PDB file of all heavy atoms in Angstrom:
ATOM      1  N   PHE L1423     184.613 183.789 -31.814  1.00 98.00           N
ATOM      2  CA  PHE L1423     185.045 185.015 -31.306  1.00 98.00           C
ATOM      3  C   PHE L1423     183.955 185.725 -30.441  1.00 98.00           C
ATOM      4  O   PHE L1423     184.240 186.698 -29.727  1.00 98.00           O
ATOM      5  CB  PHE L1423     185.455 186.063 -32.436  1.00 98.00           C
ATOM      6  CG  PHE L1423     184.236 186.585 -33.144  1.00 98.00           C
ATOM      7  CD1 PHE L1423     183.671 187.732 -32.683  1.00 98.00           C
ATOM      8  CD2 PHE L1423     183.750 186.051 -34.275  1.00 98.00           C
ATOM      9  CE1 PHE L1423     182.509 188.292 -33.325  1.00 98.00           C
ATOM     10  CE2 PHE L1423     182.667 186.598 -34.995  1.00 98.00           C
ATOM     11  CZ  PHE L1423     182.138 187.697 -34.478  1.00 98.00           C
ATOM     12  N   LYS L1424     182.675 185.247 -30.509  1.00 98.00           N
ATOM     13  CA  LYS L1424     181.706 185.900 -29.705  1.00 98.00           C
ATOM     14  C   LYS L1424     181.928 185.930 -28.241  1.00 98.00           C
ATOM     15  O   LYS L1424     181.518 186.812 -27.495  1.00 98.00           O
ATOM     16  CB  LYS L1424     180.351 185.164 -29.988  1.00 98.00           C
ATOM     17  CG  LYS L1424     179.805 185.208 -31.428  1.00 98.00           C
ATOM     18  CD  LYS L1424     179.553 186.547 -31.961  1.00 98.00           C
ATOM     19  CE  LYS L1424     178.637 186.589 -33.156  1.00 98.00           C
ATOM     20  NZ  LYS L1424     179.184 185.969 -34.395  1.00 98.00           N
ATOM     21  N   ASN L1450     176.121 181.407 -32.986  1.00 97.00           N
ATOM     22  CA  ASN L1450     177.231 181.605 -32.119  1.00 97.00           C
ATOM     23  C   ASN L1450     176.984 182.525 -30.960  1.00 97.00           C
ATOM     24  O   ASN L1450     177.468 182.288 -29.831  1.00 97.00           O
ATOM     25  CB  ASN L1450     178.512 181.964 -32.866  1.00 97.00           C
ATOM     26  CG  ASN L1450     179.108 180.751 -33.575  1.00 97.00           C
ATOM     27  OD1 ASN L1450     178.951 179.641 -33.141  1.00 97.00           O
ATOM     28  ND2 ASN L1450     179.784 181.041 -34.726  1.00 97.00           N
ATOM     29  N   GLY L1551     178.917 190.011 -41.097  1.00 98.00           N
ATOM     30  CA  GLY L1551     177.503 189.725 -40.988  1.00 98.00           C
ATOM     31  C   GLY L1551     176.747 190.841 -40.460  1.00 98.00           C
ATOM     32  O   GLY L1551     176.289 191.703 -41.204  1.00 98.00           O
ATOM     33  N   ASN L1552     176.628 190.949 -39.125  1.00 97.00           N
ATOM     34  CA  ASN L1552     175.961 192.071 -38.462  1.00 97.00           C
ATOM     35  C   ASN L1552     176.915 193.242 -38.338  1.00 97.00           C
ATOM     36  O   ASN L1552     176.490 194.322 -37.987  1.00 97.00           O
ATOM     37  CB  ASN L1552     175.299 191.594 -37.106  1.00 97.00           C
ATOM     38  CG  ASN L1552     174.063 192.352 -36.741  1.00 97.00           C
ATOM     39  OD1 ASN L1552     173.354 192.767 -37.637  1.00 97.00           O
ATOM     40  ND2 ASN L1552     173.819 192.467 -35.463  1.00 97.00           N
ATOM     41  N   ALA L1553     178.120 192.947 -38.704  1.00 98.00           N
ATOM     42  CA  ALA L1553     179.262 193.995 -38.796  1.00 98.00           C
ATOM     43  C   ALA L1553     179.755 194.494 -37.568  1.00 98.00           C
ATOM     44  O   ALA L1553     180.459 195.523 -37.431  1.00 98.00           O
ATOM     45  CB  ALA L1553     178.734 195.196 -39.712  1.00 98.00           C
ATOM     46  N   GLY L1554     179.474 193.814 -36.399  1.00 98.00           N
ATOM     47  CA  GLY L1554     179.993 194.247 -35.099  1.00 98.00           C
ATOM     48  C   GLY L1554     181.486 194.013 -35.026  1.00 98.00           C
ATOM     49  O   GLY L1554     182.242 194.781 -34.467  1.00 98.00           O
ATOM     50  N   ASN L1555     181.916 192.903 -35.592  1.00 98.00           N
ATOM     51  CA  ASN L1555     183.390 192.523 -35.398  1.00 98.00           C
ATOM     52  C   ASN L1555     184.231 193.356 -36.246  1.00 98.00           C
ATOM     53  O   ASN L1555     185.322 193.714 -35.737  1.00 98.00           O
ATOM     54  CB  ASN L1555     183.510 191.022 -35.845  1.00 98.00           C
ATOM     55  CG  ASN L1555     184.612 190.380 -35.126  1.00 98.00           C
ATOM     56  OD1 ASN L1555     184.868 190.742 -33.902  1.00 98.00           O
ATOM     57  ND2 ASN L1555     185.286 189.361 -35.685  1.00 98.00           N
ATOM     58  N   ALA L1604     176.255 181.899 -40.321  1.00 96.00           N
ATOM     59  CA  ALA L1604     176.644 182.931 -39.371  1.00 96.00           C
ATOM     60  C   ALA L1604     176.685 184.340 -39.978  1.00 96.00           C
ATOM     61  O   ALA L1604     176.651 185.373 -39.297  1.00 96.00           O
ATOM     62  CB  ALA L1604     178.033 182.590 -38.750  1.00 96.00           C
ATOM     63  N   GLU L1651     184.597 177.293 -39.528  1.00 97.00           N
ATOM     64  CA  GLU L1651     183.215 177.155 -40.061  1.00 97.00           C
ATOM     65  C   GLU L1651     183.027 177.864 -41.350  1.00 97.00           C
ATOM     66  O   GLU L1651     183.898 178.706 -41.730  1.00 97.00           O
ATOM     67  CB  GLU L1651     182.118 177.520 -39.046  1.00 97.00           C
ATOM     68  CG  GLU L1651     182.087 178.963 -38.652  1.00 97.00           C
ATOM     69  CD  GLU L1651     180.879 179.270 -37.691  1.00 97.00           C
ATOM     70  OE1 GLU L1651     179.787 179.353 -38.304  1.00 97.00           O
ATOM     71  OE2 GLU L1651     181.003 179.338 -36.475  1.00 97.00           O
ATOM     72  N   ALA L1653     181.244 180.413 -42.533  1.00 98.00           N
ATOM     73  CA  ALA L1653     181.367 181.873 -42.571  1.00 98.00           C
ATOM     74  C   ALA L1653     182.716 182.384 -42.396  1.00 98.00           C
ATOM     75  O   ALA L1653     183.127 183.357 -43.029  1.00 98.00           O
ATOM     76  CB  ALA L1653     180.424 182.436 -41.432  1.00 98.00           C
ATOM     77  N   THR L1688     186.676 183.069 -37.668  1.00 98.00           N
ATOM     78  CA  THR L1688     185.781 183.564 -36.616  1.00 98.00           C
ATOM     79  C   THR L1688     185.181 182.422 -35.726  1.00 98.00           C
ATOM     80  O   THR L1688     184.901 182.601 -34.585  1.00 98.00           O
ATOM     81  CB  THR L1688     184.666 184.339 -37.233  1.00 98.00           C
ATOM     82  OG1 THR L1688     184.164 183.584 -38.324  1.00 98.00           O
ATOM     83  CG2 THR L1688     185.134 185.725 -37.664  1.00 98.00           C
ATOM     84  N   GLY L1689     184.986 181.199 -36.364  1.00 98.00           N
ATOM     85  CA  GLY L1689     184.447 180.141 -35.572  1.00 98.00           C
ATOM     86  C   GLY L1689     184.961 178.765 -35.959  1.00 98.00           C
ATOM     87  O   GLY L1689     185.559 178.564 -37.027  1.00 98.00           O
TER      88      GLY L1689
HETATM   89  C1  PLP D2435     178.964 186.344 -35.719  1.00 65.58           C
HETATM   90  C2  PLP D2435     179.823 185.623 -36.665  1.00 65.58           C
HETATM   91  C3  PLP D2435     180.313 186.354 -37.849  1.00 65.58           C
HETATM   92  C4  PLP D2435     179.866 187.681 -38.210  1.00 65.58           C
HETATM   93  O1  PLP D2435     180.325 188.664 -37.263  1.00 65.58           O
HETATM   94  P1  PLP D2435     179.647 190.042 -37.277  1.00 65.58           P
HETATM   95  O2  PLP D2435     180.147 190.729 -36.075  1.00 65.58           O
HETATM   96  O3  PLP D2435     178.076 189.790 -37.153  1.00 65.58           O
HETATM   97  O4  PLP D2435     179.894 190.732 -38.628  1.00 65.58           O
HETATM   98  C5  PLP D2435     181.186 185.637 -38.683  1.00 65.58           C
HETATM   99  N1  PLP D2435     181.572 184.421 -38.437  1.00 65.58           N
HETATM  100  C6  PLP D2435     181.135 183.728 -37.345  1.00 65.58           C
HETATM  101  C7  PLP D2435     181.597 182.352 -37.130  1.00 65.58           C
HETATM  102  C8  PLP D2435     180.219 184.328 -36.410  1.00 65.58           C
HETATM  103  O5  PLP D2435     179.829 183.682 -35.370  1.00 65.58           O
END
Side-chain angles (χ1 to χ4, degrees):
F1423 77 84
K1424 299 296 198 300
N1450 281 331
N1552 212 26
N1555 211 29
E1651 67 171 281
T1688 45

